[in-house]
Amino acid sequence: MNFSSQEVAVTGCGFITSIGNGRAEVERSLVELRSGIELWSPEVEVPVKIAGTLKGFDTSSFNPAAWTTPENCQLDPRLTRSMPPHGLYAMAAIAEALREADLSPEELSHESTGLYCASAGSPKMLHHHLTNLEQSGWRRAHPHGVISSVAGALHFHLSAQFGIRGHCCGFVSACSSGSHALGFAFDEIRLGRQDRMLVVAAEDLSPETVVPFAGMGALSRCEDPAIASRPFDQERDGFVATGGAVALLLEKSELALHRGAKPLAIIKGWGQACDGHHVAQPQPEGAGIHAATTSALRDASLGPEQIDAVNAHAPSTAAGDRAEALALTRLFGIARPAVSSTKSLTGHGLTLSGLMEAAFCIVALDRGFIPGQANLTTPDEVCGDLFLPRETLDRPATHYLNNSSGFGGTNVAHLFARCSQ
């Protein structure tokens, strides 16, 4: 393999997403541009009619004992009885990542292995427990009320369940959360503070999570699941929400090679920058995105001409897509990497999105393809200098850039490299 034993490798991926529960199904969906967005009928009547749904899961009950999971995601209900729904998804994703990496429980609970998580908590469970508490006259607080709902619930549970004794914390930076968790986990390893890091991001899919965005005018009003999420398209009108979980195992390449694990991709560098512009709108020219991607290239010692593919944040909102298109055009100039946003297939995973899309880049690098831009009919005029392939490209990328942006103007970019055989 063409990488240094001192680099940071990804050796395991786990997925619970709208386009698949498990890597094999996710890979097929990415290659075939198969969407996971469909008509959505949650347990209450809501004005939002479509979402990137999770197949085989039913977490509508407030009682975790009543939740159901797909056959290939069976978990001991005793482990999930105090978890939010996204904790259940995270447990299933972690199980797959650990199997792929062939990491033992002893290695996972060693003090040199840490855990970083990204999650906004569970608005569904928080609303439920606070409503019941208020209705009781503030006298009957559920014993699981806090640990099943607040923003730190994910790493509370996972650190205990997996016996984590290394570095552990949670990240909450809106739609950049998963990318921040990945970036700081990468730093923990290359700075010699940890040998391995398990990085997990997860998000509920519930009315309490999704519908508040309708008040901001951020959600698509289209009722056709096939075309509702249209990044970079002139007719896009907002994002489509999704939930789920993704887990990545990072470790020093020399450790992976020593124990016979197969590196799937190498993390080359990352960067971040803030717009300093608006609480909910990006800087119109994409200044923060440009600064983050430039920083990532510098960190990775790469030039724009060396980047073969970009998984853009592009959530299918007019302001977000335009700002990023302008930033990418400025960054690459006459270089024309293949650009696409996999949110056209999955929907927007909010705190999950950055890590989920990083994992998609890793799968594409490992298998040697570049997903195309689904649902693109008429590109926005600012995309004129971008290469937006409509179909999946049957060719390997060497370097893949992944972008994320969130409220407050937080922007994060990661660069990944292929491990050639």
Side-chain angles (χ1 to χ4, degrees):
M1 293 185 179
N2 64 340
F3 59 89
S4 165
S5 62
Q6 301 304 310
E7 292 186 290
V8 178
V10 179
T11 56
C13 296
F15 297 93
I16 299 297
T17 73
S18 64
I19 60 170
N21 299 327
R23 176 175 164 168
E25 191 176 0
V26 164
E27 183 181 324
R28 286 195 299 272
S29 295
L30 292 174
V31 170
E32 299 169 8
L33 300 184
R34 185 173 60 191
S35 174
I37 297 170
E38 58 185 9
L39 292 174
W40 184 46
S41 300
E43 58 274 16
V44 295
E45 180 63 30
V46 294
V48 181
K49 303 302 181 184
I50 58 173
T53 58
L54 303 177
K55 285 68 174 176
F57 287 90
D58 183 353
T59 57
S60 58
S61 173
F62 291 104
N63 177 14
W67 293 348
T68 58
T69 61
E71 280 296 322
N72 63 336
C73 299
Q74 295 297 311
L75 298 170
D76 186 337
R78 291 173 297 180
L79 300 179
T80 58
R81 65 190 183 95
S82 61
M83 284 186 176
H86 64 272
L88 174 71
Y89 311 146
M91 290 285 287
I94 291 170
E96 182 186 20
L98 296 180
R99 284 195 302 270
E100 182 170 42
D102 195 24
L103 195 72
S104 70
E106 292 76 22
E107 289 168 316
L108 183 60
S109 64
H110 192 275
E111 61 186 14
S112 65
T113 301
L115 168 71
Y116 279 175
C117 296
S119 163
S122 178
K124 169 188 173 76
M125 301 303 283
L126 183 62
H127 178 258
H128 171 70
H129 288 305
L130 289 179
T131 298
N132 288 345
L133 180 59
E134 182 180 18
Q135 290 176 348
S136 74
W138 300 95
R139 291 187 295 272
R140 296 180 181 175
H142 194 283
H144 297 159
V146 173
I147 59 174
S148 69
S149 60
V150 298
L154 192 62
H155 78 267
F156 299 167
H157 286 280
L158 300 182
S159 61
Q161 297 291 357
F162 292 100
I164 301 297
R165 294 191 294 130
H167 298 188
C168 181
C169 72
F171 290 78
V172 182
S173 51
C175 304
S176 299
S177 302
S179 290
H180 275 126
L182 178 61
F184 284 105
F186 170 56
D187 281 347
E188 293 283 23
I189 297 175
R190 65 173 172 173
L191 292 174
R193 295 169 177 164
Q194 296 277 262
D195 290 341
R196 298 185 185 88
M197 292 294 297
L198 179 62
V199 188
V200 186
E203 185 77 56
D204 283 4
L205 177 63
S206 69
E208 293 85 352
T209 300
V210 176
V211 178
F213 287 98
M216 302 176 68
L219 296 176
S220 174
R221 297 174 297 280
C222 179
E223 296 188 8
D224 182 353
I227 60 171
S229 184
R230 292 174 281 184
F232 297 122
D233 193 273
Q234 189 171 283
E235 299 301 319
R236 67 200 180 285
D237 68 343
F239 76 80
V240 176
T242 191
V246 166
L248 296 179
L249 184 69
L250 282 55
E251 57 186 316
K252 291 180 180 179
S253 295
E254 60 184 347
L255 292 182
L257 293 171
H258 178 72
R259 64 186 190 82
K262 175 185 179 293
L264 308 175
I266 298 299
I267 306 178
K268 298 297 291 185
W270 76 297
Q272 60 170 321
C274 195
D275 286 344
H277 172 70
H278 189 273
V279 66
Q281 293 293 326
Q283 198 279 335
E285 302 299 315
I289 301 174
H290 181 265
T293 52
T294 301
S295 178
L297 285 167
R298 184 169 57 248
D299 187 39
S301 298
L302 293 170
E305 71 284 354
Q306 294 175 272
I307 308 307
D308 304 298
V310 179
N311 194 344
H313 176 73
S316 189
T317 63
D321 291 8
R322 286 177 64 88
E324 188 169 12
L326 290 170
L328 292 174
T329 298
R330 179 183 170 194
L331 177 70
F332 289 109
I334 61 172
R336 286 169 60 85
V339 177
S340 65
S341 170
T342 50
K343 289 183 179 70
S344 58
L345 305 177
T346 64
H348 188 0
L350 307 174
T351 60
L352 162 68
S353 62
L355 192 69
M356 176 169 66
E357 289 152 20
F360 293 162
C361 294
I362 291 162
V363 168
L365 283 165
D366 186 45
R367 294 305 191 196
F369 67 92
I370 301 173
Q373 181 57 68
N375 301 344
L376 183 63
T377 302
T378 307
D380 189 295
E381 59 183 12
V382 299
C383 298
D385 291 325
L386 297 180
F387 173 37
L388 298 165
R390 312 295 177 89
E391 303 293 334
T392 293
L393 304 178
D394 185 19
R395 68 176 191 231
T398 301
H399 295 109
Y400 222 124
L401 171 68
N402 185 64
N403 287 341
S404 296
S405 299
F407 283 157
T410 56
N411 302 284
V412 183
H414 287 92
L415 279 161
F416 305 95
R418 186 168 189 254
C419 300
S420 61
Q421 303 292 328

